[in-house]
mmCIF file of all heavy atoms in Angstrom:
data_model
loop_
_atom_site.group_PDB
_atom_site.id
_atom_site.type_symbol
_atom_site.label_atom_id
_atom_site.label_comp_id
_atom_site.label_asym_id
_atom_site.label_seq_id
_atom_site.Cartn_x
_atom_site.Cartn_y
_atom_site.Cartn_z
ATOM 1 N N ALA O 1 -23.069 1.426 7.521
ATOM 2 C CA ALA O 1 -21.803 1.945 7.030
ATOM 3 C C ALA O 1 -20.653 1.154 7.631
ATOM 4 O O ALA O 1 -20.767 0.579 8.723
ATOM 5 C CB ALA O 1 -21.648 3.426 7.370
ATOM 6 N N GLY O 2 -19.567 1.104 6.911
ATOM 7 C CA GLY O 2 -18.368 0.406 7.376
ATOM 8 C C GLY O 2 -17.136 0.989 6.703
ATOM 9 O O GLY O 2 -17.236 1.752 5.733
ATOM 10 N N GLU O 3 -15.974 0.605 7.204
ATOM 11 C CA GLU O 3 -14.745 1.173 6.679
ATOM 12 C C GLU O 3 -13.594 0.190 6.853
ATOM 13 O O GLU O 3 -13.499 -0.502 7.868
ATOM 14 C CB GLU O 3 -14.424 2.475 7.425
ATOM 15 C CG GLU O 3 -13.180 3.193 6.937
ATOM 16 C CD GLU O 3 -12.990 4.513 7.663
ATOM 17 O OE1 GLU O 3 -12.720 4.484 8.902
ATOM 18 O OE2 GLU O 3 -13.153 5.579 7.039
ATOM 19 N N ASN O 4 -12.741 0.138 5.863
ATOM 20 C CA ASN O 4 -11.462 -0.565 5.942
ATOM 21 C C ASN O 4 -10.337 0.460 5.817
ATOM 22 O O ASN O 4 -10.414 1.357 4.975
ATOM 23 C CB ASN O 4 -11.296 -1.590 4.808
ATOM 24 C CG ASN O 4 -12.168 -2.812 5.001
ATOM 25 O OD1 ASN O 4 -12.624 -3.105 6.114
ATOM 26 N ND2 ASN O 4 -12.405 -3.554 3.932
ATOM 27 N N VAL O 5 -9.319 0.331 6.635
ATOM 28 C CA VAL O 5 -8.134 1.182 6.524
ATOM 29 C C VAL O 5 -6.898 0.291 6.441
ATOM 30 O O VAL O 5 -6.860 -0.803 7.021
ATOM 31 C CB VAL O 5 -8.015 2.169 7.704
ATOM 32 C CG1 VAL O 5 -9.153 3.167 7.692
ATOM 33 C CG2 VAL O 5 -7.974 1.438 9.047
ATOM 34 N N VAL O 6 -5.904 0.756 5.700
ATOM 35 C CA VAL O 6 -4.695 -0.034 5.489
ATOM 36 C C VAL O 6 -3.498 0.886 5.394
ATOM 37 O O VAL O 6 -3.607 2.004 4.890
ATOM 38 C CB VAL O 6 -4.838 -0.898 4.207
ATOM 39 C CG1 VAL O 6 -5.082 -0.032 2.985
ATOM 40 C CG2 VAL O 6 -3.597 -1.765 4.000
ATOM 41 N N ARG O 7 -2.371 0.403 5.880
ATOM 42 C CA ARG O 7 -1.117 1.138 5.726
ATOM 43 C C ARG O 7 -0.050 0.162 5.253
ATOM 44 O O ARG O 7 0.123 -0.919 5.835
ATOM 45 C CB ARG O 7 -0.661 1.767 7.045
ATOM 46 C CG ARG O 7 0.681 2.490 6.934
ATOM 47 C CD ARG O 7 1.086 3.120 8.262
ATOM 48 N NE ARG O 7 1.258 2.120 9.298
ATOM 49 C CZ ARG O 7 1.436 2.407 10.576
ATOM 50 N NH1 ARG O 7 1.429 3.661 10.990
ATOM 51 N NH2 ARG O 7 1.616 1.452 11.468
ATOM 52 N N LEU O 8 0.663 0.506 4.202
ATOM 53 C CA LEU O 8 1.817 -0.254 3.737
ATOM 54 C C LEU O 8 3.060 0.577 4.010
ATOM 55 O O LEU O 8 3.112 1.760 3.662
ATOM 56 C CB LEU O 8 1.737 -0.559 2.241
ATOM 57 C CG LEU O 8 0.509 -1.316 1.705
ATOM 58 C CD1 LEU O 8 0.672 -1.547 0.226
ATOM 59 C CD2 LEU O 8 0.362 -2.645 2.424
ATOM 60 N N GLY O 9 4.064 -0.039 4.617
ATOM 61 C CA GLY O 9 5.311 0.657 4.843
ATOM 62 C C GLY O 9 6.069 0.844 3.539
ATOM 63 O O GLY O 9 5.662 0.368 2.477
ATOM 64 N N PRO O 10 7.183 1.562 3.587
ATOM 65 C CA PRO O 10 7.979 1.778 2.373
ATOM 66 C C PRO O 10 8.387 0.444 1.745
ATOM 67 O O PRO O 10 8.671 -0.519 2.474
ATOM 68 C CB PRO O 10 9.217 2.535 2.893
ATOM 69 C CG PRO O 10 8.782 3.139 4.183
ATOM 70 C CD PRO O 10 7.793 2.190 4.770
ATOM 71 N N PRO O 11 8.403 0.358 0.426
ATOM 72 C CA PRO O 11 8.828 -0.890 -0.226
ATOM 73 C C PRO O 11 10.235 -1.257 0.203
ATOM 74 O O PRO O 11 11.099 -0.399 0.371
ATOM 75 C CB PRO O 11 8.775 -0.547 -1.710
ATOM 76 C CG PRO O 11 7.875 0.635 -1.819
ATOM 77 C CD PRO O 11 8.050 1.399 -0.539
ATOM 78 N N ALA O 12 10.487 -2.548 0.394
ATOM 79 C CA ALA O 12 11.805 -3.042 0.777
ATOM 80 C C ALA O 12 12.649 -3.132 -0.502
ATOM 81 O O ALA O 12 12.751 -4.185 -1.128
ATOM 82 C CB ALA O 12 11.693 -4.411 1.459
ATOM 83 N N ARG O 13 13.251 -2.040 -0.865
ATOM 84 C CA ARG O 13 13.911 -1.965 -2.172
ATOM 85 C C ARG O 13 15.175 -2.805 -2.252
ATOM 86 O O ARG O 13 15.611 -3.159 -3.352
ATOM 87 C CB ARG O 13 14.253 -0.498 -2.494
ATOM 88 C CG ARG O 13 13.009 0.385 -2.480
ATOM 89 C CD ARG O 13 13.298 1.787 -2.986
ATOM 90 N NE ARG O 13 12.146 2.661 -2.778
ATOM 91 C CZ ARG O 13 11.072 2.649 -3.536
ATOM 92 N NH1 ARG O 13 10.995 1.816 -4.544
ATOM 93 N NH2 ARG O 13 10.070 3.484 -3.289
ATOM 94 N N ASP O 14 15.794 -3.129 -1.125
ATOM 95 C CA ASP O 14 17.020 -3.917 -1.168
ATOM 96 C C ASP O 14 16.759 -5.398 -0.937
ATOM 97 O O ASP O 14 17.668 -6.176 -0.758
ATOM 98 C CB ASP O 14 18.019 -3.407 -0.139
ATOM 99 C CG ASP O 14 17.470 -3.459 1.274
ATOM 100 O OD1 ASP O 14 16.239 -3.522 1.418
ATOM 101 O OD2 ASP O 14 18.271 -3.409 2.216
ATOM 102 N N ALA O 15 15.476 -5.780 -0.907
ATOM 103 C CA ALA O 15 15.108 -7.189 -0.721
ATOM 104 C C ALA O 15 14.455 -7.698 -1.992
ATOM 105 O O ALA O 15 13.955 -6.920 -2.805
ATOM 106 C CB ALA O 15 14.159 -7.343 0.473
ATOM 107 N N PRO O 16 14.414 -9.015 -2.197
ATOM 108 C CA PRO O 16 13.749 -9.546 -3.386
ATOM 109 C C PRO O 16 12.306 -9.074 -3.481
ATOM 110 O O PRO O 16 11.587 -9.080 -2.487
ATOM 111 C CB PRO O 16 13.830 -11.067 -3.162
ATOM 112 C CG PRO O 16 14.974 -11.248 -2.217
ATOM 113 C CD PRO O 16 14.976 -10.056 -1.328
ATOM 114 N N ARG O 17 11.878 -8.687 -4.647
ATOM 115 C CA ARG O 17 10.521 -8.180 -4.823
ATOM 116 C C ARG O 17 9.512 -9.319 -4.690
ATOM 117 O O ARG O 17 9.672 -10.377 -5.275
ATOM 118 C CB ARG O 17 10.392 -7.522 -6.220
ATOM 119 C CG ARG O 17 8.980 -7.019 -6.513
ATOM 120 C CD ARG O 17 8.991 -6.050 -7.662
ATOM 121 N NE ARG O 17 9.626 -4.805 -7.232
ATOM 122 C CZ ARG O 17 9.786 -3.745 -8.045
ATOM 123 N NH1 ARG O 17 9.372 -3.810 -9.273
ATOM 124 N NH2 ARG O 17 10.384 -2.668 -7.608
ATOM 125 N N GLN O 18 8.480 -9.069 -3.928
ATOM 126 C CA GLN O 18 7.417 -10.041 -3.763
ATOM 127 C C GLN O 18 6.261 -9.717 -4.692
ATOM 128 O O GLN O 18 6.131 -8.600 -5.169
ATOM 129 C CB GLN O 18 6.906 -10.028 -2.319
ATOM 130 C CG GLN O 18 7.974 -10.375 -1.290
ATOM 131 C CD GLN O 18 7.368 -10.481 0.080
ATOM 132 O OE1 GLN O 18 6.597 -11.372 0.354
ATOM 133 N NE2 GLN O 18 7.705 -9.553 0.941
ATOM 134 N N LEU O 19 5.433 -10.705 -4.923
ATOM 135 C CA LEU O 19 4.236 -10.485 -5.728
ATOM 136 C C LEU O 19 3.431 -9.342 -5.129
ATOM 137 O O LEU O 19 3.129 -9.340 -3.943
ATOM 138 C CB LEU O 19 3.391 -11.765 -5.750
ATOM 139 C CG LEU O 19 2.078 -11.710 -6.507
ATOM 140 C CD1 LEU O 19 2.345 -11.511 -8.001
ATOM 141 C CD2 LEU O 19 1.291 -12.980 -6.292
ATOM 142 N N GLY O 20 3.115 -8.344 -5.904
ATOM 143 C CA GLY O 20 2.337 -7.230 -5.428
ATOM 144 C C GLY O 20 3.175 -6.083 -4.885
ATOM 145 O O GLY O 20 2.662 -5.007 -4.653
ATOM 146 N N ASP O 21 4.467 -6.310 -4.677
ATOM 147 C CA ASP O 21 5.319 -5.246 -4.168
ATOM 148 C C ASP O 21 5.745 -4.357 -5.316
ATOM 149 O O ASP O 21 5.663 -4.718 -6.483
ATOM 150 C CB ASP O 21 6.541 -5.858 -3.483
ATOM 151 C CG ASP O 21 7.234 -4.872 -2.561
ATOM 152 O OD1 ASP O 21 6.674 -3.786 -2.346
ATOM 153 O OD2 ASP O 21 8.325 -5.193 -2.088
ATOM 154 N N GLY O 22 6.236 -3.181 -4.974
ATOM 155 C CA GLY O 22 6.755 -2.309 -6.025
ATOM 156 C C GLY O 22 5.653 -1.632 -6.811
ATOM 157 O O GLY O 22 4.897 -0.816 -6.288
ATOM 158 N N GLU O 23 5.524 -1.990 -8.102
ATOM 159 C CA GLU O 23 4.647 -1.244 -8.980
ATOM 160 C C GLU O 23 3.173 -1.446 -8.685
ATOM 161 O O GLU O 23 2.348 -0.622 -9.027
ATOM 162 C CB GLU O 23 4.941 -1.595 -10.454
ATOM 163 C CG GLU O 23 4.575 -3.030 -10.846
ATOM 164 C CD GLU O 23 5.626 -4.045 -10.490
ATOM 165 O OE1 GLU O 23 6.677 -3.644 -9.951
ATOM 166 O OE2 GLU O 23 5.415 -5.245 -10.720
ATOM 167 N N ASN O 24 2.786 -2.531 -8.035
ATOM 168 C CA ASN O 24 1.370 -2.780 -7.786
ATOM 169 C C ASN O 24 1.065 -2.641 -6.285
ATOM 170 O O ASN O 24 0.576 -3.555 -5.647
ATOM 171 C CB ASN O 24 0.946 -4.164 -8.279
ATOM 172 C CG ASN O 24 -0.563 -4.348 -8.227
ATOM 173 O OD1 ASN O 24 -1.312 -3.394 -8.099
ATOM 174 N ND2 ASN O 24 -1.003 -5.591 -8.293
ATOM 175 N N ARG O 25 1.343 -1.486 -5.731
ATOM 176 C CA ARG O 25 1.107 -1.263 -4.321
ATOM 177 C C ARG O 25 -0.376 -1.258 -3.985
ATOM 178 O O ARG O 25 -0.789 -1.668 -2.903
ATOM 179 C CB ARG O 25 1.747 0.049 -3.881
ATOM 180 C CG ARG O 25 3.247 0.098 -4.087
ATOM 181 C CD ARG O 25 3.976 -0.562 -2.957
ATOM 182 N NE ARG O 25 4.005 0.299 -1.781
ATOM 183 C CZ ARG O 25 4.395 -0.097 -0.580
ATOM 184 N NH1 ARG O 25 4.746 -1.353 -0.377
ATOM 185 N NH2 ARG O 25 4.423 0.744 0.429
ATOM 186 N N VAL O 26 -1.207 -0.800 -4.919
ATOM 187 C CA VAL O 26 -2.644 -0.823 -4.674
ATOM 188 C C VAL O 26 -3.127 -2.265 -4.579
ATOM 189 O O VAL O 26 -3.962 -2.601 -3.721
ATOM 190 C CB VAL O 26 -3.391 -0.041 -5.768
ATOM 191 C CG1 VAL O 26 -4.908 -0.139 -5.558
ATOM 192 C CG2 VAL O 26 -2.969 1.413 -5.780
ATOM 193 N N GLY O 27 -2.627 -3.128 -5.452
ATOM 194 C CA GLY O 27 -2.968 -4.543 -5.366
ATOM 195 C C GLY O 27 -2.548 -5.172 -4.063
ATOM 196 O O GLY O 27 -3.270 -5.991 -3.483
ATOM 197 N N LEU O 28 -1.393 -4.778 -3.557
ATOM 198 C CA LEU O 28 -0.927 -5.307 -2.282
ATOM 199 C C LEU O 28 -1.809 -4.799 -1.136
ATOM 200 O O LEU O 28 -2.105 -5.563 -0.204
ATOM 201 C CB LEU O 28 0.526 -4.904 -2.052
ATOM 202 C CG LEU O 28 1.196 -5.478 -0.818
ATOM 203 C CD1 LEU O 28 1.157 -7.004 -0.817
ATOM 204 C CD2 LEU O 28 2.646 -4.997 -0.717
ATOM 205 N N ALA O 29 -2.259 -3.553 -1.221
ATOM 206 C CA ALA O 29 -3.172 -3.032 -0.197
ATOM 207 C C ALA O 29 -4.477 -3.837 -0.195
ATOM 208 O O ALA O 29 -5.002 -4.191 0.856
ATOM 209 C CB ALA O 29 -3.456 -1.550 -0.456
ATOM 210 N N HIS O 30 -5.002 -4.114 -1.394
ATOM 211 C CA HIS O 30 -6.224 -4.925 -1.486
ATOM 212 C C HIS O 30 -5.997 -6.307 -0.891
ATOM 213 O O HIS O 30 -6.849 -6.836 -0.174
ATOM 214 C CB HIS O 30 -6.635 -5.043 -2.958
ATOM 215 C CG HIS O 30 -7.713 -6.065 -3.200
ATOM 216 N ND1 HIS O 30 -9.026 -5.864 -2.820
ATOM 217 C CD2 HIS O 30 -7.666 -7.291 -3.789
ATOM 218 C CE1 HIS O 30 -9.747 -6.912 -3.165
ATOM 219 N NE2 HIS O 30 -8.955 -7.799 -3.741
ATOM 220 N N ARG O 31 -4.820 -6.891 -1.145
ATOM 221 C CA ARG O 31 -4.533 -8.224 -0.611
ATOM 222 C C ARG O 31 -4.485 -8.216 0.912
ATOM 223 O O ARG O 31 -4.986 -9.121 1.570
ATOM 224 C CB ARG O 31 -3.209 -8.737 -1.170
ATOM 225 C CG ARG O 31 -2.960 -10.209 -0.833
ATOM 226 C CD ARG O 31 -1.547 -10.619 -1.171
ATOM 227 N NE ARG O 31 -1.180 -10.204 -2.502
ATOM 228 C CZ ARG O 31 0.079 -10.235 -2.944
ATOM 229 N NH1 ARG O 31 1.046 -10.635 -2.146
ATOM 230 N NH2 ARG O 31 0.358 -9.835 -4.171
ATOM 231 N N ARG O 32 -3.855 -7.198 1.464
ATOM 232 C CA ARG O 32 -3.766 -7.122 2.929
ATOM 233 C C ARG O 32 -5.162 -7.004 3.573
ATOM 234 O O ARG O 32 -5.434 -7.604 4.601
ATOM 235 C CB ARG O 32 -2.899 -5.925 3.350
ATOM 236 C CG ARG O 32 -1.428 -6.105 2.990
ATOM 237 C CD ARG O 32 -0.796 -7.227 3.816
ATOM 238 N NE ARG O 32 0.574 -7.452 3.393
ATOM 239 C CZ ARG O 32 0.967 -8.413 2.567
ATOM 240 N NH1 ARG O 32 0.068 -9.264 2.080
ATOM 241 N NH2 ARG O 32 2.231 -8.561 2.244
ATOM 242 N N LEU O 33 -6.031 -6.239 2.940
ATOM 243 C CA LEU O 33 -7.403 -6.144 3.449
ATOM 244 C C LEU O 33 -8.114 -7.490 3.334
ATOM 245 O O LEU O 33 -8.824 -7.906 4.259
ATOM 246 C CB LEU O 33 -8.176 -5.061 2.687
ATOM 247 C CG LEU O 33 -7.698 -3.629 2.930
ATOM 248 C CD1 LEU O 33 -8.373 -2.674 1.949
ATOM 249 C CD2 LEU O 33 -7.989 -3.196 4.367
ATOM 250 N N TRP O 34 -7.931 -8.177 2.227
ATOM 251 C CA TRP O 34 -8.609 -9.466 2.014
ATOM 252 C C TRP O 34 -8.106 -10.496 3.014
ATOM 253 O O TRP O 34 -8.847 -11.383 3.431
ATOM 254 C CB TRP O 34 -8.376 -9.928 0.587
ATOM 255 C CG TRP O 34 -9.103 -11.183 0.237
ATOM 256 C CD1 TRP O 34 -8.609 -12.467 0.192
ATOM 257 C CD2 TRP O 34 -10.506 -11.312 -0.092
ATOM 258 N NE1 TRP O 34 -9.588 -13.347 -0.157
ATOM 259 C CE2 TRP O 34 -10.766 -12.668 -0.330
ATOM 260 C CE3 TRP O 34 -11.548 -10.381 -0.213
ATOM 261 C CZ2 TRP O 34 -12.025 -13.121 -0.673
ATOM 262 C CZ3 TRP O 34 -12.800 -10.847 -0.565
ATOM 263 C CH2 TRP O 34 -13.032 -12.199 -0.793
ATOM 264 N N GLU O 35 -6.841 -10.424 3.405
ATOM 265 C CA GLU O 35 -6.266 -11.407 4.306
ATOM 266 C C GLU O 35 -6.840 -11.315 5.717
ATOM 267 O O GLU O 35 -6.728 -12.267 6.498
ATOM 268 C CB GLU O 35 -4.741 -11.206 4.362
ATOM 269 C CG GLU O 35 -4.035 -11.652 3.092
ATOM 270 C CD GLU O 35 -2.587 -11.224 3.046
ATOM 271 O OE1 GLU O 35 -2.191 -10.327 3.825
ATOM 272 O OE2 GLU O 35 -1.834 -11.776 2.211
#
């Protein structure tokens, strides 16, 4: 058995949107785990 855990802070709404930020938060979580 194994486990991955991830936390993303609140989106930086006053900063330029990055790939995966905003509407695709699940995708960004997957990216952080992969990194």
Side-chain angles (χ1 to χ4, degrees):
E3 182 176 68
N4 287 340
V5 294
V6 58
R7 178 179 62 189
L8 302 182
R13 303 189 187 282
D14 58 341
R17 178 162 290 180
Q18 299 186 68
L19 178 66
D21 198 9
E23 68 278 358
N24 189 16
R25 299 278 284 169
V26 176
L28 185 57
H30 169 72
R31 189 190 312 168
R32 291 293 176 261
L33 292 170
W34 184 260
E35 288 169 343

